[in-house]
Amino acid sequence: MPKIYKCTGSVIRKSASALKTGCLVVFPTETVYGLGADATNKHAVARIYEVKKRPYSHPLIVHISSSSFLEIWARKIPDYALKLATDFWPGPMTLILQRSSLAKDFVTGGQNSIALRVPSHHIAQKLLNDFNEFEGLGIAAPSANMFGKVSPTNATHVLNDLSHNLNSQDIILNSGSSQVGIESTIIDCTKFLPYVLRPGFITKEMIESSLSIKLKDFTGNTKVRTSGVFPSHYAPIARVFLSGMPKKGDGFIALKSIKTPLGAYRLASPKNEIEFAKVLYKSLRLGDDKKLPNIYIVPPSNNGIGRAVNDRLSKIANIAKVI
Ligand code: TXA
Ligand code: MG
């Protein structure tokens, strides 16, 4: 069993040193919790895949403390990517760039690109800075859940999902609930123009305004192995429906302004799209804990982060159809 800690300064320092010796450290970010390993350590990174039961071809995001590490991990960085980094880092945004020779196949899934992110969460920031002091260059970290399941937004979710696969040297840093609640916006910056592969808190409109351009919509036609391109992502055990009426004992998630249908079990009542994102995964997990067979969700509008919520909902509901 891994050890779970409150995030004091000395615990974070100890975690950074544990990473350097090849251990795994689960840490909070502003989006979801990450399962971290030294991104230059082949064996440590291999353990991420074992623990999550994730296919080796599925690349990882390397978390860095600041943009000053961009040039170490990436090459031929387009100006627009530098502008995005200036405007939105630290924050919930991941950039896909051409990889440098430091980014090995074991972290990129054999692709010639690398995913990089500077998280803003103060614990993640301190962990990364301490790791730099131990000469660490980056922390590879996927969401700390079993492959294909709902991402964890608190340390209890991580314990429930991964504790049996982690060992006593591994560390879980507990810092309450994630602020954003869904995974970072992923932007492909390997082409002439940027392309949003996974919507998130940093919206298409924010990117367009930062770069003064109009972005093309994601069509799903990509060879890149990003979440969302896979049909089996973000799945709870319950079957999820985005239309129709719940029956007695079914779960129900909708904005606060929408009444609970008679007999349904209200799992969440977010007051806007931002709160919808924050509570979505937690509510789906609650539905599973209560062993609800079906969860009915009334999707929010596509405004702001609502687009990212609807992206995740469409994946979840697709699963329901193929079960
Ligand atoms: O918010 C987040 O992004 C969280 C926190 C922990 O940072 N991380 C996260 O990681 O969601 P993960 O592994 O669950 O999702 C990262 C996605 C994967 O679908 C992966 O395929 C994609 O990023 N990805 C990683 N490297 C890539 C690359 N070189 N090209 C395209 N997609 C890539
Ligand atoms: Mg994930």
Side-chain angles (χ1 to χ4, degrees), residues 27 29-35 52 54 57-63 92-94 96-97 107-108 111-117 119 141-145 151 182-186 188 197-198 224-228 230 233-234:
F27 62 99
T29 82
E30 67 279 22
T31 56
V32 299
Y33 275 68
L35 172 64
K52 276 187 63 111
R54 175 173 168 129
S57 59
H58 210 65
L60 300 173
I61 297 174
V62 175
H63 297 68
M93 176 187 76
T94 297
I96 309 286
L97 295 158
V107 89
T108 70
Q111 304 197 65
N112 282 328
S113 54
I114 176 84
L116 295 171
R117 172 157 118 80
S143 50
N145 52 283
S151 292
I182 57 174
E183 307 82 354
S184 61
T185 306
I186 300 183
D188 184 353
L197 294 177
R198 181 174 75 180
V224 178
R225 289 180 288 267
T226 292
S227 326
F230 271 77
H233 252 79
Y234 321 111

Short mmCIF file of all heavy atoms in Angstrom, two decimals, residues 27 29-35 52 54 57-63 92-94 96-97 107-108 111-117 119 141-145 151 182-186 188 197-198 224-228 230 233-234, ligand 1:
data_model
loop_
_atom_site.label_atom_id
_atom_site.label_comp_id
_atom_site.label_asym_id
_atom_site.label_seq_id
_atom_site.Cartn_x
_atom_site.Cartn_y
_atom_site.Cartn_z
N PHE A 27 0.08 13.28 -7.33
CA PHE A 27 0.05 14.67 -6.87
C PHE A 27 -1.16 15.42 -7.44
O PHE A 27 -1.68 15.08 -8.50
CB PHE A 27 1.36 15.40 -7.25
CG PHE A 27 1.63 15.49 -8.72
CD1 PHE A 27 1.35 16.65 -9.44
CD2 PHE A 27 2.18 14.41 -9.41
CE1 PHE A 27 1.59 16.74 -10.80
CE2 PHE A 27 2.42 14.48 -10.79
CZ PHE A 27 2.13 15.65 -11.48
N THR A 29 -3.21 18.36 -9.23
CA THR A 29 -3.03 19.49 -10.15
C THR A 29 -4.37 20.23 -10.15
O THR A 29 -5.35 19.74 -9.56
CB THR A 29 -2.67 19.08 -11.59
OG1 THR A 29 -3.85 18.73 -12.30
CG2 THR A 29 -1.66 17.94 -11.64
N GLU A 30 -4.43 21.37 -10.80
CA GLU A 30 -5.68 22.14 -10.82
C GLU A 30 -6.78 21.42 -11.62
O GLU A 30 -7.96 21.69 -11.42
CB GLU A 30 -5.44 23.55 -11.36
CG GLU A 30 -5.04 23.65 -12.83
CD GLU A 30 -3.55 23.38 -13.06
OE1 GLU A 30 -2.90 22.74 -12.21
OE2 GLU A 30 -3.04 23.81 -14.11
N THR A 31 -6.39 20.48 -12.50
CA THR A 31 -7.40 19.78 -13.31
C THR A 31 -7.88 18.51 -12.60
O THR A 31 -9.02 18.42 -12.15
CB THR A 31 -6.82 19.41 -14.68
OG1 THR A 31 -5.62 18.62 -14.50
CG2 THR A 31 -6.52 20.64 -15.51
N VAL A 32 -6.99 17.51 -12.51
CA VAL A 32 -7.28 16.23 -11.85
C VAL A 32 -5.96 15.78 -11.20
O VAL A 32 -4.92 16.38 -11.42
CB VAL A 32 -7.76 15.16 -12.88
CG1 VAL A 32 -9.05 15.60 -13.58
CG2 VAL A 32 -6.69 14.83 -13.92
N TYR A 33 -6.02 14.69 -10.41
CA TYR A 33 -4.79 14.18 -9.80
C TYR A 33 -3.96 13.42 -10.85
O TYR A 33 -4.52 12.73 -11.71
CB TYR A 33 -5.11 13.24 -8.63
CG TYR A 33 -5.34 13.97 -7.32
CD1 TYR A 33 -6.47 14.80 -7.15
CD2 TYR A 33 -4.44 13.86 -6.25
CE1 TYR A 33 -6.67 15.48 -5.96
CE2 TYR A 33 -4.65 14.53 -5.06
CZ TYR A 33 -5.76 15.35 -4.92
OH TYR A 33 -5.96 16.04 -3.74
N GLY A 34 -2.63 13.55 -10.76
CA GLY A 34 -1.74 12.87 -11.70
C GLY A 34 -0.92 11.79 -11.01
O GLY A 34 -0.63 11.89 -9.81
N LEU A 35 -0.58 10.75 -11.77
CA LEU A 35 0.28 9.66 -11.27
C LEU A 35 1.68 9.90 -11.85
O LEU A 35 1.92 9.63 -13.03
CB LEU A 35 -0.28 8.31 -11.72
CG LEU A 35 0.56 7.07 -11.47
CD1 LEU A 35 0.75 6.82 -9.96
CD2 LEU A 35 -0.09 5.83 -12.11
N LYS A 52 -1.60 1.58 -14.09
CA LYS A 52 -2.87 2.02 -14.70
C LYS A 52 -3.47 0.99 -15.65
O LYS A 52 -4.58 1.17 -16.13
CB LYS A 52 -2.63 3.30 -15.52
CG LYS A 52 -2.66 4.57 -14.72
CD LYS A 52 -2.59 5.77 -15.66
CE LYS A 52 -3.76 5.89 -16.60
NZ LYS A 52 -4.66 7.00 -16.37
N ARG A 54 -2.41 0.68 -18.65
CA ARG A 54 -2.58 1.52 -19.84
C ARG A 54 -1.73 0.96 -20.96
O ARG A 54 -0.59 0.55 -20.73
CB ARG A 54 -2.11 2.93 -19.44
CG ARG A 54 -2.06 3.97 -20.54
CD ARG A 54 -1.74 5.30 -19.87
NE ARG A 54 -1.38 6.35 -20.77
CZ ARG A 54 -1.94 7.57 -20.73
NH1 ARG A 54 -2.90 7.83 -19.88
NH2 ARG A 54 -1.56 8.51 -21.55
N SER A 57 1.46 2.22 -25.97
CA SER A 57 1.48 3.12 -27.13
C SER A 57 0.80 4.46 -26.81
O SER A 57 0.79 5.36 -27.63
CB SER A 57 0.76 2.46 -28.30
OG SER A 57 -0.57 2.18 -27.92
N HIS A 58 0.21 4.59 -25.64
CA HIS A 58 -0.59 5.77 -25.30
C HIS A 58 0.31 6.76 -24.56
O HIS A 58 0.66 6.56 -23.41
CB HIS A 58 -1.74 5.31 -24.41
CG HIS A 58 -2.97 6.14 -24.53
ND1 HIS A 58 -3.71 6.22 -25.68
CD2 HIS A 58 -3.60 6.92 -23.64
CE1 HIS A 58 -4.74 7.03 -25.48
NE2 HIS A 58 -4.70 7.47 -24.25
N PRO A 59 0.70 7.88 -25.22
CA PRO A 59 1.74 8.76 -24.67
C PRO A 59 1.32 9.52 -23.41
O PRO A 59 0.14 9.70 -23.14
CB PRO A 59 2.01 9.74 -25.81
CG PRO A 59 0.77 9.73 -26.63
CD PRO A 59 0.16 8.37 -26.51
N LEU A 60 2.35 9.98 -22.67
CA LEU A 60 2.12 10.68 -21.40
C LEU A 60 2.39 12.17 -21.53
O LEU A 60 3.19 12.59 -22.38
CB LEU A 60 3.05 10.10 -20.33
CG LEU A 60 2.91 8.61 -20.04
CD1 LEU A 60 4.02 8.16 -19.09
CD2 LEU A 60 1.55 8.31 -19.44
N ILE A 61 1.79 12.95 -20.63
CA ILE A 61 2.12 14.38 -20.55
C ILE A 61 3.31 14.54 -19.61
O ILE A 61 3.32 13.98 -18.52
CB ILE A 61 0.92 15.18 -20.00
CG1 ILE A 61 -0.29 15.08 -20.94
CG2 ILE A 61 1.30 16.65 -19.78
CD1 ILE A 61 -1.57 15.73 -20.41
N VAL A 62 4.31 15.31 -20.04
CA VAL A 62 5.42 15.64 -19.15
C VAL A 62 5.14 17.00 -18.53
O VAL A 62 4.93 17.99 -19.23
CB VAL A 62 6.77 15.63 -19.91
CG1 VAL A 62 7.90 16.11 -18.99
CG2 VAL A 62 7.07 14.22 -20.43
N HIS A 63 5.12 17.02 -17.18
CA HIS A 63 4.86 18.26 -16.45
C HIS A 63 6.19 18.93 -16.13
O HIS A 63 7.12 18.28 -15.65
CB HIS A 63 4.09 17.94 -15.16
CG HIS A 63 2.73 17.35 -15.42
ND1 HIS A 63 2.56 16.09 -15.96
CD2 HIS A 63 1.49 17.85 -15.26
CE1 HIS A 63 1.26 15.85 -16.11
NE2 HIS A 63 0.59 16.90 -15.69
N PRO A 92 -4.20 25.04 -16.95
CA PRO A 92 -4.74 23.77 -17.44
C PRO A 92 -4.65 23.60 -18.96
O PRO A 92 -5.66 23.40 -19.62
CB PRO A 92 -6.18 23.80 -16.95
CG PRO A 92 -6.52 25.25 -16.87
CD PRO A 92 -5.26 25.97 -16.53
N MET A 93 -3.45 23.71 -19.51
CA MET A 93 -3.24 23.60 -20.95
C MET A 93 -2.01 22.74 -21.23
O MET A 93 -0.97 22.89 -20.58
CB MET A 93 -3.03 24.99 -21.54
CG MET A 93 -2.70 24.98 -23.02
SD MET A 93 -2.27 26.62 -23.64
CE MET A 93 -0.60 26.83 -23.01
N THR A 94 -2.16 21.81 -22.19
CA THR A 94 -1.05 20.94 -22.60
C THR A 94 -0.73 21.24 -24.06
O THR A 94 -1.64 21.31 -24.90
CB THR A 94 -1.47 19.46 -22.45
OG1 THR A 94 -1.72 19.21 -21.07
CG2 THR A 94 -0.40 18.50 -22.94
N ILE A 96 1.27 20.05 -27.51
CA ILE A 96 1.96 18.95 -28.21
C ILE A 96 2.96 19.59 -29.17
O ILE A 96 2.58 20.39 -30.03
CB ILE A 96 0.97 18.09 -29.03
CG1 ILE A 96 -0.23 17.65 -28.19
CG2 ILE A 96 1.67 16.92 -29.69
CD1 ILE A 96 0.02 16.59 -27.19
N LEU A 97 4.23 19.23 -28.99
CA LEU A 97 5.31 19.84 -29.78
C LEU A 97 6.21 18.76 -30.35
O LEU A 97 6.17 17.61 -29.90
CB LEU A 97 6.13 20.75 -28.86
CG LEU A 97 5.35 21.96 -28.30
CD1 LEU A 97 5.99 22.49 -27.03
CD2 LEU A 97 5.25 23.06 -29.36
N VAL A 107 8.18 7.55 -23.20
CA VAL A 107 7.26 8.56 -22.66
C VAL A 107 6.32 9.10 -23.76
O VAL A 107 5.21 9.55 -23.48
CB VAL A 107 8.07 9.67 -21.94
CG1 VAL A 107 8.47 10.79 -22.84
CG2 VAL A 107 7.32 10.24 -20.76
N THR A 108 6.74 9.01 -25.03
CA THR A 108 5.91 9.55 -26.13
C THR A 108 5.12 8.46 -26.85
O THR A 108 4.44 8.75 -27.84
CB THR A 108 6.77 10.27 -27.20
OG1 THR A 108 7.53 9.28 -27.92
CG2 THR A 108 7.70 11.29 -26.60
N GLN A 111 5.82 8.24 -30.55
CA GLN A 111 5.48 9.34 -31.47
C GLN A 111 6.63 10.35 -31.50
O GLN A 111 7.42 10.42 -30.57
CB GLN A 111 4.21 10.03 -31.00
CG GLN A 111 3.05 9.06 -30.86
CD GLN A 111 1.70 9.77 -30.80
OE1 GLN A 111 1.28 10.40 -31.76
NE2 GLN A 111 1.03 9.64 -29.68
N ASN A 112 6.69 11.14 -32.55
CA ASN A 112 7.76 12.14 -32.67
C ASN A 112 7.42 13.44 -31.96
O ASN A 112 8.14 14.42 -32.07
CB ASN A 112 8.09 12.41 -34.13
CG ASN A 112 8.94 11.28 -34.67
OD1 ASN A 112 9.73 10.70 -33.93
ND2 ASN A 112 8.74 10.94 -35.93
N SER A 113 6.31 13.43 -31.26
CA SER A 113 5.89 14.63 -30.53
C SER A 113 5.90 14.35 -29.04
O SER A 113 5.95 13.20 -28.60
CB SER A 113 4.49 15.02 -30.99
OG SER A 113 3.62 13.92 -30.84
N ILE A 114 5.85 15.44 -28.27
CA ILE A 114 5.84 15.35 -26.81
C ILE A 114 4.76 16.27 -26.27
O ILE A 114 4.58 17.38 -26.78
CB ILE A 114 7.23 15.71 -26.23
CG1 ILE A 114 7.24 15.72 -24.69
CG2 ILE A 114 7.72 17.10 -26.70
CD1 ILE A 114 7.45 14.40 -24.08
N ALA A 115 4.05 15.81 -25.25
CA ALA A 115 3.02 16.64 -24.60
C ALA A 115 3.63 17.29 -23.37
O ALA A 115 4.21 16.60 -22.52
CB ALA A 115 1.83 15.76 -24.21
N LEU A 116 3.53 18.63 -23.28
CA LEU A 116 4.13 19.36 -22.15
C LEU A 116 3.09 20.24 -21.46
O LEU A 116 2.23 20.83 -22.13
CB LEU A 116 5.29 20.24 -22.64
CG LEU A 116 6.49 19.49 -23.22
CD1 LEU A 116 7.45 20.47 -23.87
CD2 LEU A 116 7.21 18.69 -22.13
N ARG A 117 3.20 20.31 -20.12
CA ARG A 117 2.26 21.16 -19.37
C ARG A 117 2.94 21.72 -18.13
O ARG A 117 3.68 21.02 -17.45
CB ARG A 117 1.05 20.31 -18.97
CG ARG A 117 0.09 21.01 -18.03
CD ARG A 117 -1.29 20.38 -18.12
NE ARG A 117 -1.77 19.78 -16.89
CZ ARG A 117 -2.32 20.46 -15.89
NH1 ARG A 117 -2.42 21.77 -15.94
NH2 ARG A 117 -2.78 19.83 -14.82
N PRO A 119 1.66 22.97 -14.75
CA PRO A 119 0.44 23.09 -13.94
C PRO A 119 0.53 24.29 -12.99
O PRO A 119 1.62 24.69 -12.59
CB PRO A 119 0.41 21.77 -13.16
CG PRO A 119 1.82 21.32 -13.11
CD PRO A 119 2.52 21.88 -14.33
N ALA A 141 3.12 12.33 -16.12
CA ALA A 141 1.96 12.00 -15.29
C ALA A 141 0.67 11.96 -16.09
O ALA A 141 0.23 12.99 -16.61
CB ALA A 141 1.81 13.00 -14.15
N PRO A 142 0.05 10.78 -16.16
CA PRO A 142 -1.31 10.70 -16.66
C PRO A 142 -2.26 10.93 -15.48
O PRO A 142 -1.80 11.04 -14.34
CB PRO A 142 -1.42 9.25 -17.14
CG PRO A 142 -0.52 8.50 -16.19
CD PRO A 142 0.58 9.46 -15.79
N SER A 143 -3.55 11.00 -15.75
CA SER A 143 -4.50 11.06 -14.65
C SER A 143 -4.37 9.76 -13.83
O SER A 143 -4.11 8.69 -14.38
CB SER A 143 -5.92 11.21 -15.21
OG SER A 143 -6.17 10.23 -16.21
N ALA A 144 -4.55 9.90 -12.50
CA ALA A 144 -4.23 8.77 -11.58
C ALA A 144 -5.41 7.83 -11.40
O ALA A 144 -5.87 7.58 -10.27
CB ALA A 144 -3.77 9.34 -10.25
N ASN A 145 -5.92 7.31 -12.53
CA ASN A 145 -7.03 6.36 -12.50
C ASN A 145 -6.66 5.15 -13.35
O ASN A 145 -5.70 5.22 -14.12
CB ASN A 145 -8.29 7.02 -13.11
CG ASN A 145 -8.00 7.63 -14.46
OD1 ASN A 145 -7.40 8.69 -14.56
ND2 ASN A 145 -8.39 6.93 -15.52
N SER A 151 -11.38 10.15 -14.39
CA SER A 151 -10.21 10.74 -13.72
C SER A 151 -10.53 11.08 -12.27
O SER A 151 -11.67 11.42 -11.94
CB SER A 151 -9.79 12.02 -14.44
OG SER A 151 -9.29 11.74 -15.72
N ILE A 182 -11.92 18.66 -14.71
CA ILE A 182 -11.72 17.85 -15.91
C ILE A 182 -10.32 18.15 -16.47
O ILE A 182 -9.71 19.16 -16.13
CB ILE A 182 -12.80 18.05 -17.00
CG1 ILE A 182 -12.87 19.51 -17.41
CG2 ILE A 182 -14.15 17.54 -16.55
CD1 ILE A 182 -13.82 19.73 -18.58
N GLU A 183 -9.83 17.26 -17.33
CA GLU A 183 -8.45 17.29 -17.77
C GLU A 183 -8.13 18.52 -18.63
O GLU A 183 -9.03 19.13 -19.22
CB GLU A 183 -8.13 16.01 -18.58
CG GLU A 183 -8.47 14.71 -17.88
CD GLU A 183 -9.93 14.32 -17.99
OE1 GLU A 183 -10.74 15.11 -18.52
OE2 GLU A 183 -10.28 13.21 -17.54
N SER A 184 -6.83 18.81 -18.74
CA SER A 184 -6.36 20.01 -19.44
C SER A 184 -6.77 20.03 -20.93
O SER A 184 -6.97 18.99 -21.55
CB SER A 184 -4.83 20.09 -19.35
OG SER A 184 -4.25 18.96 -19.97
N THR A 185 -6.83 21.23 -21.46
CA THR A 185 -7.01 21.43 -22.90
C THR A 185 -5.72 20.95 -23.58
O THR A 185 -4.62 21.34 -23.18
CB THR A 185 -7.17 22.94 -23.21
OG1 THR A 185 -8.22 23.45 -22.40
CG2 THR A 185 -7.45 23.18 -24.68
N ILE A 186 -5.85 20.08 -24.59
CA ILE A 186 -4.65 19.65 -25.33
C ILE A 186 -4.64 20.32 -26.70
O ILE A 186 -5.63 20.23 -27.45
CB ILE A 186 -4.59 18.12 -25.50
CG1 ILE A 186 -4.57 17.44 -24.13
CG2 ILE A 186 -3.37 17.71 -26.31
CD1 ILE A 186 -4.45 15.92 -24.19
N ASP A 188 -2.53 20.66 -30.28
CA ASP A 188 -1.48 20.17 -31.16
C ASP A 188 -0.77 21.38 -31.78
O ASP A 188 -1.40 22.17 -32.50
CB ASP A 188 -2.12 19.29 -32.26
CG ASP A 188 -1.07 18.67 -33.17
OD1 ASP A 188 0.12 19.03 -33.05
OD2 ASP A 188 -1.46 17.83 -34.01
N LEU A 197 -7.05 19.27 -29.59
CA LEU A 197 -7.32 17.82 -29.61
C LEU A 197 -8.27 17.41 -28.49
O LEU A 197 -9.02 16.46 -28.63
CB LEU A 197 -6.02 17.03 -29.45
CG LEU A 197 -5.00 17.15 -30.57
CD1 LEU A 197 -3.74 16.36 -30.21
CD2 LEU A 197 -5.58 16.63 -31.88
N ARG A 198 -8.16 18.11 -27.36
CA ARG A 198 -9.05 17.80 -26.23
C ARG A 198 -9.49 19.13 -25.60
O ARG A 198 -8.65 19.86 -25.10
CB ARG A 198 -8.31 16.93 -25.21
CG ARG A 198 -9.15 16.52 -24.00
CD ARG A 198 -8.43 15.54 -23.08
NE ARG A 198 -7.39 16.17 -22.29
CZ ARG A 198 -6.61 15.54 -21.42
NH1 ARG A 198 -6.75 14.22 -21.26
NH2 ARG A 198 -5.70 16.18 -20.73
N VAL A 224 -3.29 10.76 -34.08
CA VAL A 224 -2.70 10.96 -32.76
C VAL A 224 -3.53 10.24 -31.70
O VAL A 224 -4.76 10.28 -31.73
CB VAL A 224 -2.64 12.47 -32.45
CG1 VAL A 224 -2.07 12.71 -31.08
CG2 VAL A 224 -1.79 13.18 -33.49
N ARG A 225 -2.82 9.58 -30.76
CA ARG A 225 -3.54 8.83 -29.75
C ARG A 225 -3.84 9.71 -28.53
O ARG A 225 -3.14 9.68 -27.53
CB ARG A 225 -2.70 7.61 -29.32
CG ARG A 225 -2.63 6.55 -30.40
CD ARG A 225 -1.79 5.39 -29.94
NE ARG A 225 -0.39 5.72 -29.91
CZ ARG A 225 0.45 5.52 -30.90
NH1 ARG A 225 0.03 4.98 -32.01
NH2 ARG A 225 1.73 5.83 -30.79
N THR A 226 -4.86 10.51 -28.65
CA THR A 226 -5.27 11.37 -27.54
C THR A 226 -6.59 10.87 -26.98
O THR A 226 -7.39 10.30 -27.72
CB THR A 226 -5.43 12.82 -28.04
OG1 THR A 226 -4.14 13.30 -28.39
CG2 THR A 226 -6.02 13.73 -27.01
N SER A 227 -6.81 11.11 -25.68
CA SER A 227 -8.10 10.74 -25.09
C SER A 227 -9.19 11.36 -25.94
O SER A 227 -9.07 12.50 -26.35
CB SER A 227 -8.26 11.34 -23.70
OG SER A 227 -7.07 11.39 -23.05
N GLY A 228 -10.23 10.65 -26.13
CA GLY A 228 -11.29 11.23 -26.95
C GLY A 228 -11.25 10.62 -28.32
O GLY A 228 -12.28 10.35 -28.92
N PHE A 230 -9.98 7.76 -28.47
CA PHE A 230 -10.34 6.42 -28.00
C PHE A 230 -11.80 6.42 -27.55
O PHE A 230 -12.21 7.32 -26.81
CB PHE A 230 -9.50 6.05 -26.77
CG PHE A 230 -8.21 5.38 -27.13
CD1 PHE A 230 -7.15 6.14 -27.60
CD2 PHE A 230 -8.06 4.01 -27.01
CE1 PHE A 230 -5.96 5.53 -27.93
CE2 PHE A 230 -6.88 3.41 -27.35
CZ PHE A 230 -5.82 4.17 -27.81
N HIS A 233 -13.04 6.10 -23.15
CA HIS A 233 -12.49 6.96 -22.10
C HIS A 233 -13.56 7.47 -21.14
O HIS A 233 -14.71 7.59 -21.49
CB HIS A 233 -11.71 8.12 -22.71
CG HIS A 233 -10.25 7.94 -22.51
ND1 HIS A 233 -9.51 7.10 -23.29
CD2 HIS A 233 -9.42 8.43 -21.56
CE1 HIS A 233 -8.26 7.11 -22.85
NE2 HIS A 233 -8.17 7.91 -21.80
N TYR A 234 -13.16 7.77 -19.95
CA TYR A 234 -13.99 8.44 -18.94
C TYR A 234 -15.23 7.63 -18.56
O TYR A 234 -16.29 8.19 -18.33
CB TYR A 234 -14.45 9.82 -19.43
CG TYR A 234 -13.45 10.61 -20.20
CD1 TYR A 234 -13.60 10.84 -21.56
CD2 TYR A 234 -12.32 11.13 -19.57
CE1 TYR A 234 -12.69 11.59 -22.27
CE2 TYR A 234 -11.41 11.89 -20.27
CZ TYR A 234 -11.60 12.11 -21.63
OH TYR A 234 -10.70 12.85 -22.32
O1 TXA B 1 -5.11 17.65 -16.91
C1 TXA B 1 -4.40 16.78 -17.39
O2 TXA B 1 -4.00 16.83 -18.55
C2 TXA B 1 -4.01 15.62 -16.47
C3 TXA B 1 -3.12 16.15 -15.35
C4 TXA B 1 -2.62 15.06 -14.46
O3 TXA B 1 -2.09 16.90 -15.90
N1 TXA B 1 -3.36 14.60 -17.21
C5 TXA B 1 -3.99 13.81 -18.09
O4 TXA B 1 -3.17 12.84 -18.62
O5 TXA B 1 -5.16 13.92 -18.36
P1 TXA B 1 -3.75 11.60 -19.45
O6 TXA B 1 -2.58 10.75 -19.76
O7 TXA B 1 -4.84 10.98 -18.68
O8 TXA B 1 -4.24 12.26 -20.75
C6 TXA B 1 -3.26 12.86 -21.59
C7 TXA B 1 -3.65 12.72 -23.00
C8 TXA B 1 -3.68 11.28 -23.44
O9 TXA B 1 -4.90 11.02 -24.10
C9 TXA B 1 -2.56 11.17 -24.41
O10 TXA B 1 -2.85 10.31 -25.47
C10 TXA B 1 -2.39 12.60 -24.90
O11 TXA B 1 -2.64 13.36 -23.76
N2 TXA B 1 -1.03 12.79 -25.37
C11 TXA B 1 0.11 12.67 -24.68
N3 TXA B 1 1.17 12.83 -25.47
C12 TXA B 1 0.69 13.10 -26.70
C13 TXA B 1 1.28 13.37 -27.96
N4 TXA B 1 2.59 13.38 -28.12
N5 TXA B 1 0.46 13.58 -28.99
C14 TXA B 1 -0.86 13.57 -28.84
N6 TXA B 1 -1.50 13.31 -27.68
C15 TXA B 1 -0.73 13.08 -26.63
#
